[in-house]
Amino acid sequence: QWVLMNDRRRIFKSRVLGTAVALMTTAAVLGLSGSAAGTSPAAGSRSGHLTAPLTVVPLLKFDPSDHFASAPNTYNCEQRFGYACYSPRQLETAYDMKPLFATRDTGTGETIVLVDSFGSPTIRRDLTTFDKTYGLRNPQLTIMQPAGKVPPWNPKNAAMVGWGEESSLDVEYAHAMAPGAKIVLVETPVDETEGIAGLPQMMAAERAVMDPSSKYYEDPSVISQSFGATESTFATAMQIINLAQTYQVAETDDVTVLAAAGDEGSTEPVNVAGTVLSTTRAINWPASDPLVTAVGGTQLHLNLVGQRLLPDNVWNDTNLLGGPAAGGGGLSAIFNRPSYQDGVSAVAGVHRATPDISLSAAVDGGAIVYWSLPGAPKGYYVIGGTSESSPLFAGVVAVADQVLGKHIGFLNPYLYSLAAQASPKHNVGIEGITTGNNTVSFIQGGKDVTVPGWVATTGYNLASGLGTIDGAKLIAALKTAAG
């Protein structure tokens, strides 16, 4: 996630660490590629890097003392800083959700689960402020810690602050797209110094909210995950397979699982600290998991009421921000192509391809988020990254479930089937992105590095997946397909 504040730049990574959990499954079920299926995790391994797609770059801060702190708008951002910013009301219009809201299809009766390390100690009052600003109804918000008590808030802990910001974005924008849905913020007690030990905590927490025998059971409609670990940084493929059993549980229980596709475009971090980037193409897990819907990033161009001025393009703010800042996407080195991607085999080859679908993630066109985290100036911030696109889509899924009168569950087969049926006379609410790419450049080890990305083209592509959505039309098509 990219956070815009002030007129200066710095980058830090929020990370969580992990050993493999004792969960066993078969490579065949998950479509594991190659000989890696026979490997097993080393005891106590700390390999891997996990980050919320949470690259935080302070560029633009809306100070509460200035004249647009209460409700900044697109023109305020463009005139003062040269960047666009969008409110929840604009995004509701852009994704055609308002016709659904007009018929009281707002996600009522559904539950959105958001999984974030540490969480935010101020999220309740921050959501109340956000809702008052934009005329939203305050939802039922449940905060839980199934994997253990979260440590006390430390404003000097950059990872904790970053996850607090992430929690604010997740809660506020999942709620904006499904204002009637219950929001469950699942907080995990990860310490940033522990490697990727947070992954088992996150997976255990997700299983708890899906388990009817657990006191944390929430019967979720959809789970949104704004975190990812580069595939190549796991010590063995079995580490991923062990963790991924959670998604088999979700498929069985008809829970839709989403994951942010990443914020470094065609590359990803390859060390635990997240300070070294791969110089070749890479993608992250869980977005690469075949049982997860990978949500990539686009850039919107909207007027003040949310109408499009130009078609959406692939999110790539690398030139704007001076470092990798683009939607993740590419081919898995771990998972084979799942059957629902057989129709895009010309692009995917034998690999699981990501992303599946894409929504707003650009910094130039970021979401306006409110927080009052201890130790940080309270106010309105602009955030970009696929940490935005995943909770946005989670809200759409929750509304779809209300309209269908049931949990649609594993979503990918429906998305690919509908996209294959699309025609000028048959609008299924999936709209292709044909402009942009996710190539990124950066300086590493004193050298200029460019990692070639993928170019948006007609049909499925590795920069934007199937494309973006029209919420009302997509939900109508899903009702027909799954009803």
Side-chain angles (χ1 to χ4, degrees):
Q1 135 192 324
W2 292 85
V3 180
L4 296 158
M5 305 184 300
N6 294 330
D7 189 19
R8 64 188 195 280
R9 300 181 182 185
R10 70 185 168 91
I11 299 176
F12 68 83
K13 279 287 186 182
S14 173
R15 58 193 186 278
V16 292
L17 319 181
T19 58
V21 294
L23 300 175
M24 297 305 296
T25 185
T26 65
V29 170
L30 293 180
L32 184 69
S33 23
S35 60
T39 62
S40 59
S45 171
R46 286 193 172 191
S47 65
H49 168 79
L50 180 68
T51 176
L54 193 68
T55 308
V56 182
V57 179
L59 285 177
L60 170 64
K61 165 66 175 64
F62 293 109
D63 191 304
S65 65
D66 70 28
H67 64 281
F68 47 74
S70 60
N73 63 37
T74 302
Y75 288 169
N76 296 147
C77 295
E78 290 175 339
Q79 291 173 0
R80 183 169 176 181
F81 302 102
Y83 311 135
C85 59
Y86 300 133
S87 73
R89 294 305 195 185
Q90 288 169 287
L91 294 176
E92 291 167 0
T93 295
Y95 289 116
D96 197 22
M97 297 300 289
K98 289 189 175 180
L100 293 157
F101 298 168
T103 57
R104 299 186 180 180
D105 293 318
T106 61
T108 301
E110 307 300 334
T111 297
I112 301 171
V113 171
L114 307 164
V115 185
D116 291 299
S117 297
F118 303 126
S120 163
T122 61
I123 189 59
R124 290 192 186 280
R125 70 169 181 252
D126 292 348
L127 181 59
T128 297
T129 298
F130 180 82
D131 286 347
K132 287 182 178 178
T133 297
Y134 294 109
L136 295 167
R137 183 181 67 184
N138 221 222
Q140 181 181 355
L141 173 62
T142 297
I143 301 171
M144 61 174 62
Q145 299 174 358
K149 186 176 181 181
V150 170
W153 180 260
N154 178 4
K156 295 182 179 180
N157 183 326
M160 187 170 282
V161 172
W163 281 104
E165 296 166 352
E166 176 65 59
S167 300
S168 304
L169 170 66
D170 286 353
V171 169
E172 291 173 11
Y173 277 83
H175 169 54
M177 297 298 275
K182 178 181 179 180
I183 303 293
V184 176
L185 176 60
V186 174
E187 302 173 341
T188 59
V190 176
D191 182 86
E192 66 168 318
T193 64
E194 293 179 9
I196 59 167
L199 273 171
Q201 292 183 355
M202 288 174 160
M203 298 301 101
E206 291 180 15
R207 291 194 303 277
V209 299
M210 293 187 288
D211 182 0
S213 68
S214 168
K215 68 178 181 180
Y216 298 104
Y217 177 62
E218 288 290 343
D219 188 25
S221 170
V222 56
I223 297 173
S224 176
Q225 306 167 119
S226 290
F227 56 82
T230 310
E231 283 187 338
S232 63
T233 58
F234 287 88
T236 68
M238 279 303 296
Q239 284 187 310
I240 293 180
I241 293 175
N242 289 343
L243 293 166
Q245 184 168 333
T246 295
Y247 305 133
Q248 294 181 37
V249 173
E251 182 187 28
T252 300
D253 292 349
D254 291 329
V255 179
T256 304
V257 183
L258 313 178
D263 289 350
E264 286 88 8
S266 53
T267 187
E268 288 287 341
V270 294
N271 66 329
V272 172
T275 55
V276 178
L277 296 171
S278 174
T279 57
T280 58
R281 290 165 170 167
I283 64 172
N284 72 50
W285 183 88
S288 67
D289 195 289
L291 296 179
V292 170
T293 300
V295 189
T298 64
Q299 181 180 30
L300 277 63
H301 309 274
L302 308 178
N303 63 17
L304 279 175
V305 296
Q307 298 168 328
R308 282 176 171 78
L309 302 172
L310 294 169
D312 302 357
N313 54 267
V314 175
W315 166 46
N316 195 330
D317 281 322
T318 298
N319 291 335
L320 174 68
L321 297 172
L331 300 173
S332 174
I334 301 294
F335 297 104
N336 286 336
R337 185 185 74 239
S339 60
Y340 58 78
Q341 288 191 321
D342 285 350
V344 299
S345 61
V347 176
V350 299
H351 305 275
R352 158 68 162 134
T354 66
D356 298 304
I357 204 78
S358 295
L359 279 79
S360 178
V363 176
D364 185 359
I368 301 167
V369 180
Y370 178 86
W371 65 68
S372 60
L373 297 166
K378 67 180 179 180
Y380 294 84
Y381 295 71
V382 177
I383 301 184
T386 54
S387 288
E388 174 193 354
S389 58
S390 185
L392 283 174
F393 195 44
V396 176
V397 174
V399 175
D401 282 2
Q402 181 192 353
V403 172
L404 268 64
K406 65 178 182 180
H407 292 179
I408 194 168
F410 183 35
L411 190 60
N412 291 357
Y414 292 107
L415 294 178
Y416 283 85
S417 176
L418 289 174
Q421 300 169 28
S423 71
K425 293 183 179 180
H426 183 45
N427 191 330
V428 299
I430 298 175
E431 302 176 353
I433 302 295
T434 59
T435 306
N437 64 75
N438 65 352
T439 295
V440 294
S441 298
F442 51 95
I443 297 174
Q444 187 164 276
K447 298 180 179 179
D448 291 326
V449 178
T450 295
V451 181
W454 309 95
V455 178
T457 58
T458 300
Y460 181 86
N461 61 77
L462 297 168
S464 66
L466 296 168
T468 193
I469 67 159
D470 177 303
K473 290 182 174 63
L474 175 61
I475 290 172
L478 287 171
K479 185 176 182 180
T480 299

